[in-house]
Amino acid sequence: MWNSFHGRFSDSPRALWERLAGRDGLEHVWLAHEAHLGSFPRAVRTVDIEGPGARETLESADLLVANTHTEVEWDKQPGTTYVQTWHGTPLKRVHRDVRWAPDGVLDRLDRDVDRWDLLLSQSAWSTPRLRSAFRWNGEVLESGYPRNDLLSRPERKTVRADVRRGLGIADDAVVVLYAPTWRDDEKDQGSELTYPLDPAELVRGLGPGHVLLVRAHYLLTGRLRLDALPGVHDVSLYPDLRDLYCAADVLVTDYSSAMFDFAVTGRPVLHLAPDLARFGDTVRGFYADLEEVAPGPVVSTTGELVDVLTDLATLEQDWALRSAAFRETFTPLDDGDAGERVLARLGLSG
């Protein structure tokens, strides 16, 4: 059984599935949300994550691999192994360590944590933070993230060309990927939300030859306003963020764990963080000071972002040492073989 972001075909579960697909003696079933069914290969068996069949299928599974909480009511059966890959190095506080959470939410999610058998970690830095967040005393495998294997493999060049071709982006265009995180106090608001980034100002300031890809956090997909503009693509429903990393020349984020994954590419990372103090002090909290560890500039406005993005070569040069230190601390295991280490632990290697 596979579950990624409540029914998508993506992330570390997809990367592990790709290593196992076609192997004799294994039956694969994905939990799928109807909004994302089109991204699954036709030959893949799926079950509606919000339908009555999800519970029955989960309770018949020998192995469940998920990258976030599996929010389905089910009783884990004896002999079932539940691998939680999680979905990012936690710069921002997670689960029981957060500054604030709606009443009852963490207790409900703890029922899922109680089912886990193995938790993956991207690095030695992540492990104690994940243990703290989930009050986890079980096994942690410091494997690196399987979802990032592609970023260190030769196939990344083919994926880069395919993604750009599919989106109608020229080979020589400079692609800016904007992938912010979500704010806990906005998730349940009924009103339309807006991005901190002004896409019109950005594309106008950068000029011809630049393309902006905008990727909403999976919890806010469809709720953030993005006007149709030349040179701007809404890729919130694109199946897998790792493929967009391959296509991009630079990442703009805020506090998202995307910063750690994209750092594996060696390309520049910038942080648009106008609410840095509020997010850190009130909304979520941090495990580390962003301005002290960030692999690239931290700015507050779209105008400041434009100023930095106009000379990527200088940006990359100026931040080379800081970026290398960032990778050494946070992604030393993302070497292209994280997935194989996980499968070896599960007895599925080869």
Side-chain angles (χ1 to χ4, degrees), residues 326-338:
F326 185 86
R327 292 193 297 274
E328 184 178 348
T329 299
F330 297 108
T331 65
L333 297 170
D334 284 357
D335 56 4
D337 287 318

Side-chain angles (χ1 to χ4, degrees), residues 91-92 176-183 196-197 215 217 241 245 250-263 268-275 290 294-299 305 326:
L91 176 79
K92 58 183 186 289
V176 179
L177 173 61
Y178 177 49
T181 192
W182 62 294
R183 276 72 178 158
L197 175 72
R215 174 81 167 192
H217 189 277
L241 185 54
Y245 292 151
V250 58
L251 172 71
V252 177
T253 186
D254 42 21
Y255 327 114
S256 170
S257 62
M259 72 179 80
F260 301 100
D261 301 330
F262 192 80
V269 178
L270 291 87
H271 304 266
L272 177 61
D275 60 344
L290 175 64
V298 179
V299 301
L305 193 61
F326 185 86

Side-chain angles (χ1 to χ4, degrees), residues 177-344:
L177 173 61
Y178 177 49
T181 192
W182 62 294
R183 276 72 178 158
D184 303 61
D185 56 351
E186 291 181 343
K187 178 177 178 289
D188 295 323
Q189 290 182 16
S191 59
E192 185 179 62
L193 305 174
T194 58
Y195 289 101
L197 175 72
D198 183 337
E201 182 181 353
L202 184 74
V203 296
R204 184 172 60 249
L206 294 179
H210 292 79
V211 174
L212 174 64
L213 306 182
V214 180
R215 174 81 167 192
H217 189 277
Y218 81 98
L219 290 174
L220 298 180
T221 299
R223 295 189 53 211
L224 285 150
R225 178 177 177 177
L226 183 65
D227 295 331
L229 294 167
V232 178
H233 298 260
D234 187 347
V235 291
S236 300
L237 291 176
Y238 202 90
D240 207 330
L241 185 54
R242 68 169 190 187
D243 297 347
L244 298 176
Y245 292 151
C246 293
D249 297 295
V250 58
L251 172 71
V252 177
T253 186
D254 42 21
Y255 327 114
S256 170
S257 62
M259 72 179 80
F260 301 100
D261 301 330
F262 192 80
V264 177
T265 70
R267 300 177 191 136
V269 178
L270 291 87
H271 304 266
L272 177 61
D275 60 344
L276 178 59
R278 187 180 76 88
F279 193 94
D281 296 340
T282 305
V283 176
R284 177 67 77 92
F286 295 111
Y287 291 111
D289 187 312
L290 175 64
E291 293 177 302
E292 289 184 2
V293 303
V298 179
V299 301
S300 298
T301 69
T302 301
E304 293 175 310
L305 193 61
V306 170
D307 291 341
V308 179
L309 285 172
T310 51
D311 190 349
L312 282 182
T314 298
L315 172 67
E316 197 164 351
Q317 180 178 341
D318 290 348
W319 286 82
L321 291 178
R322 180 82 166 255
S323 180
F326 185 86
R327 292 193 297 274
E328 184 178 348
T329 299
F330 297 108
T331 65
L333 297 170
D334 284 357
D335 56 4
D337 287 318
E340 186 57 33
R341 287 189 283 273
V342 175
L343 294 184

